Amino acid sequence: MKHFYSVILFIVISMAVSAQVQIQMPLPAQGSTFSGNVRGYWFTAPCCFTITGASIPTDAGTGNQSIAIMRFRNTPPVYMSSTDDFTTLFLVQDGSSTGIFPVNIQVETGDIIGVLGSRAGINSYVAMPVSSTIHGNAVTLSRLGMQFPLASTVPQSLWTEGSGGISRVYLYYDTVITYNANAVVVDSLTMQLSDASDSSFYSVWDYGDGSPLDAIWNPMHTYPAGGTYTACSYITNSCKTDTTCTTFTVCGGKTIADFTSNQTGSQMNFANISVNAASSNWYFGDGSPMDLIPSPSHTYATNGTYTVTLITESPCGLKDTTTQSITTCPEVLAAGFTYTDNGPSVDFTDTTATAVSWAWNFGDGSPVDMSQNPTHTYTTNGTYTVSLITGNLCGTKDTAYQNVQACPEPLSAGFTYLINGNTADFSDTSSTATGWLWNFGDGTATTTAQNPSHTYTLNGTYTVSLIAANLCGKTDTAYQTFSVCPEVLDAGFTFNDNGTSVIFSDTTATSTSRIWDFGDGSATSTAQNPSHTYAANGTYTVMLIASNLCGVTDTAYTDVTTCPEILSDAFTALVTGLTADFTGTIAGASGWMWDFGDGSFSSNANPTHAYTSSGDYYVCLSSWNICGDSSAFCDTVTVMNSGIQQINSSVAFTLYPNPFSETAVLMVTSPMQNSSFELELYDVLGTMVMKSNGIMNRELLISKGSLSSGTYFFVIRNNEGILKTDKLVIY
C-alpha cells in the first residue's frame, strides 16, 4: 500500500510587542508626468524605523500600481553605470489600483533604501531636489532609475542621477519595529521557526527544549519528543534588541492512513486500519458527501471504478492521506442483444446495460468476436444459434442466446409450367426459397404448395404469380402468362342469303380466330361474321377453320347455293316458212322448257321447231335456276307457207301505263275506221285469263279486276290475223 504524507496543519502562535501605525513620508505635489520606463528615488535612513506601507498617488492616473522597495549595500552609481548589488525587500507588479500595500520592513540608521513606482506605466513626477522627513529627521530623496517597465520586469540594473525629477511613491512608517515569532510543523518532531526579521538582523533562538542557544536566522529544529514548547528569538540590530516568543505542540508520532474494502450485494464495506488516527474523513469518489464514520459502508448507484480517499488526523493535528481505486457493480448484469439482417451481413447490437466485455459466437464456426457491436457475414442462408457472453467491471459473466435467421444468398423467384389438357403442372425454380404463395389468375384460392397442379374450367389467358420467400421473410415475385383451353372446340356456322350477298355467322362457342374459304376462289376472310358476294349462281362449298386461345383448330364445311344473277327470260324467233329457230336469253337459268303453242315442247336451250301448218302460235319459254326461282316469257310467232301475206304494218298501238296497278288504256290506230279487234291476255304458263273486244281508233279500258300482280302477255288480232303481241305488267 502506498502512503502519501503532507503537512496540512500550521500552528502559529505570535506575540506582538505593540500595534503598528502608518505615518506618510511627505512628498511635494506633482509637477509633471513621465511614461515608459520606471523611475523612483533613494535615500539614506536618518534613524531606525519600520516601513509599514506603500502606495502611488493618483495624480497621474488610476491604473494598477507597481512598486518595488530594495536595500542597497552601497550608494547607487551615477548614470551611465548601474548596479544589481541590492536586496529586493518588497515587490508588487501590476497590483491593485486602490489602497495602501501593507509591508513590514525594519530599517536601521544608515540603511540605503531605494523605491521605484508607476501607476499603469505613468510616473507622477516632481522636480529635484526633494526633501522630506522621517520621525522629524530630514532626509534627501535622490533620483533613481531603471530602464525597464516595472509592471513586467523585476528591479535590475539601477542607477542614480544628481538632477532630474523623481517618481512620487508614498512610503508609510512607524517608530516601532515589529517582530512575530512563528512555528510551522514540518513533521512529527521538526518545526520551522521564524521571527519576521530580515536576514540582515542578528537573531539568537532559544528552542525551549534545553538545547543550546542557536544564532541562525529562521532555523529548523527537531525536538527529542512530543510535547508543548515555547521558543523565543532574541533580535539585535543597531536600533535595539527585541525578543519575540511562540508556544506550540510537537506531536511526537505520525498518523498512517490505511483501509480495506469488501462488497456485499450492492453495498461496499470499508474497514479503517489507520495508525495513530484521532479522526477520519472519507470521500467515496462518486460525489456523495464526506463521511466521518471510522469504518463506513457505502452504496454506489452505478457500476464503476471509484477513487476512495481516507484522510486521518493525529491527536496533534497532523494529516497524512491515502487513496484506493475500487470497482463495484451494484447494477444487475443481464446479457442481451438485437440484430438486423442487411442481406450479405448481419448487424448485432449489444443491449447489456452494464457490460464492459463481450464474446460473440455466431454459430457458424467462425472465430469469437470481442467487439461490442459486431457485423458478421454468413456464407449461406440458415438459422444460426448466436451466443453473447458479457462481463461487467467486477468480472461477473452472463450469456444470451438467440436463433438468428441470416440470408446472404440472393432470393430469385421463378417457375416453369406444363399444360396437360385443362390442367397446368407448375414447378418452382426459385433459388433459396423456403415458402411459396401461388395465384393462378382465375379467381380461385391461392396455395402454398411448392409444386402445385391446377385445373382450369374455362378457356382463357391467365397470369400466374409466384411469391417466393426465404428464411428471413424477404420476398420476390415471378409472373408468367399462358393460355389454357379446357372447353371443346366445335367449329360451326350459319348463313343467310339476302339476294345480293350471303351473310355468314360463326357459331363456334370458344373460337378466338377463324379463316373463311367461300369456295369460289376469292380471298379468305378472318372476320367473325363476314358477308360475301358471289359473282355467279352456284353451289359453293364454304369452309370455316376456327381456332381457340391455345391454337387448337377445328373445321366446318357447308354447301351454300346462291343465285346472285337475276333470272329474266326472253327469246327471238327466226321464221323460215313453217320452221322457227328459237334463241333464248336465259341468264342464270339452270333449266328451261319451251312450249311452241302447237302442243310440242323442248328442253333445249336454243331449239328449232317445225310447225305443220301456217298460223299464229303462242310460244312460251319457262326457265328456273338452282335456287328454285322461275321465270316465263311468251310471244306470238307466226309461221306460214310461202306466199302468205303479213299483217298490215300500218296499224299502230298505244298501251299505257305499263306496268299498271288498277287500269290501263289500249289504243289501236288503223286506217280502217271502226274495224273491230280482239284482246287476249295470257299468264306466264300460257293460260288465257282475259278476252275483250275493241274498236280501232277507240280506247279500250283494261282493268286489273281479280288478276294477280305479275307479268302477262297480250295478243291483238282481227279477222286478218294477229296484229300485235307484247308484255303487260300488273303490280
Side-chain angles (χ1 to χ4, degrees), residues 332-337 349-356 358 372 388 390-391 398 400:
V332 176
L333 176 68
F337 64 92
T349 302
D350 168 47
T351 59
T352 314
T354 61
V356 296
W358 305 266
Q372 182 178 7
L388 167 61
T390 59
D398 192 39

Side-chain angles (χ1 to χ4, degrees), residues 221-506:
H221 183 70
T222 299
Y223 288 84
T228 300
Y229 299 90
T230 298
C232 295
S233 174
Y234 306 103
I235 304 169
T236 302
N237 59 22
S238 62
C239 300
K240 68 175 181 177
T241 298
D242 200 358
T243 302
T244 180
C245 299
T246 180
T247 301
F248 50 86
T249 300
V250 175
C251 292
K254 298 179 178 179
T255 177
I256 301 175
D258 198 4
F259 65 91
T260 61
S261 62
N262 67 84
Q263 184 171 350
T264 304
S266 61
Q267 181 173 278
M268 183 64 70
N269 304 308
F270 297 95
N272 192 336
I273 57 174
S274 302
V275 176
N276 197 29
S279 63
S280 301
N281 297 336
W282 292 87
Y283 298 90
F284 300 114
D286 61 350
S288 59
M290 178 183 68
D291 197 322
L292 300 178
I293 298 175
S295 295
S297 294
H298 184 71
T299 299
Y300 289 88
T302 58
N303 294 2
T305 298
Y306 301 90
T307 299
V308 178
T309 301
L310 169 60
I311 302 175
T312 59
E313 186 172 347
S314 69
C316 62
L318 285 178
K319 298 181 179 180
D320 295 36
T321 302
T322 186
T323 60
Q324 290 185 40
S325 292
I326 64 163
T327 300
T328 181
C329 300
E331 299 175 274
V332 176
L333 176 68
F337 64 92
T338 60
Y339 68 92
T340 302
D341 183 8
N342 290 322
S345 62
V346 179
D347 295 332
F348 293 91
T349 302
D350 168 47
T351 59
T352 314
T354 61
V356 296
S357 66
W358 305 266
W360 296 86
N361 187 321
F362 300 114
D364 60 349
S366 59
V368 172
D369 193 311
M370 308 300 288
S371 58
Q372 182 178 7
N373 300 306
T375 295
H376 185 70
T377 299
Y378 291 91
T379 57
T380 58
N381 292 5
T383 300
Y384 301 90
T385 300
V386 177
S387 66
L388 167 61
I389 302 174
T390 59
N392 62 16
L393 287 168
C394 303
T396 304
K397 303 290 185 182
D398 192 39
T399 304
Y401 299 89
Q402 283 195 60
N403 287 329
V404 173
Q405 292 178 329
C407 299
E409 299 175 276
L411 172 67
S412 178
F415 63 93
T416 60
Y417 64 89
L418 179 64
I419 305 298
N420 184 13
N422 62 339
T423 299
D425 297 321
F426 297 94
S427 297
D428 168 49
T429 60
S430 305
S431 62
T432 71
T434 57
W436 305 267
L437 181 63
W438 296 86
N439 187 319
F440 299 113
D442 60 351
T444 58
T446 59
T447 183
T448 57
Q450 182 177 6
N451 300 304
S453 292
H454 185 69
T455 300
Y456 291 88
T457 59
L458 298 175
N459 289 6
T461 298
Y462 300 95
T463 298
V464 176
S465 66
L466 167 60
I467 301 175
N470 62 16
L471 282 169
C472 304
K474 297 178 181 178
T475 62
D476 190 39
T477 305
Y479 299 90
Q480 290 199 56
T481 300
F482 57 83
S483 297
V484 65
C485 301
E487 298 174 275
V488 175
L489 177 67
D490 187 9
F493 64 91
T494 61
F495 65 91
N496 178 38
D497 187 357
N498 65 7
T500 58
S501 61
V502 179
I503 299 174
F504 296 91
S505 298
D506 177 20

Side-chain angles (χ1 to χ4, degrees), residues 104-175:
N104 183 29
I105 299 174
Q106 291 83 46
V107 179
E108 297 181 75
T109 303
D111 282 353
I112 302 174
I113 303 299
V115 179
L116 298 173
S118 66
R119 182 182 284 272
I122 304 297
N123 295 279
S124 175
Y125 258 42
V126 62
M128 291 179 61
V130 177
S131 297
S132 185
T133 60
I134 298 176
H135 289 316
N137 300 302
V139 61
T140 299
L141 306 181
S142 301
R143 179 182 173 102
L144 183 68
M146 183 174 76
Q147 204 65 26
F148 310 101
L150 184 61
S152 58
T153 307
V154 297
Q156 56 185 287
S157 302
L158 305 182
W159 74 89
T160 185
E161 291 180 292
S163 62
I166 67 170
S167 289
R168 297 171 66 241
V169 178
Y170 289 145
L171 287 185
Y172 300 86
Y173 63 88
D174 189 0
T175 57

Side-chain angles (χ1 to χ4, degrees), residues 193-239:
L193 302 173
S194 63
D195 57 13
S197 67
D198 62 55
S199 59
S200 65
F201 291 11
Y202 181 72
S203 298
V204 177
W205 284 89
D206 182 352
Y207 298 121
D209 60 352
S211 60
L213 297 179
D214 195 355
I216 189 171
W217 182 69
N218 292 346
M220 184 181 293
H221 183 70
T222 299
Y223 288 84
T228 300
Y229 299 90
T230 298
C232 295
S233 174
Y234 306 103
I235 304 169
T236 302
N237 59 22
S238 62
C239 300

Side-chain angles (χ1 to χ4, degrees), residues 58-74:
T58 59
D59 307 61
T62 58
N64 290 350
Q65 303 177 71
S66 297
I67 302 173
I69 302 175
M70 63 286 295
R71 178 184 289 119
F72 291 96
R73 293 180 178 83
N74 297 291

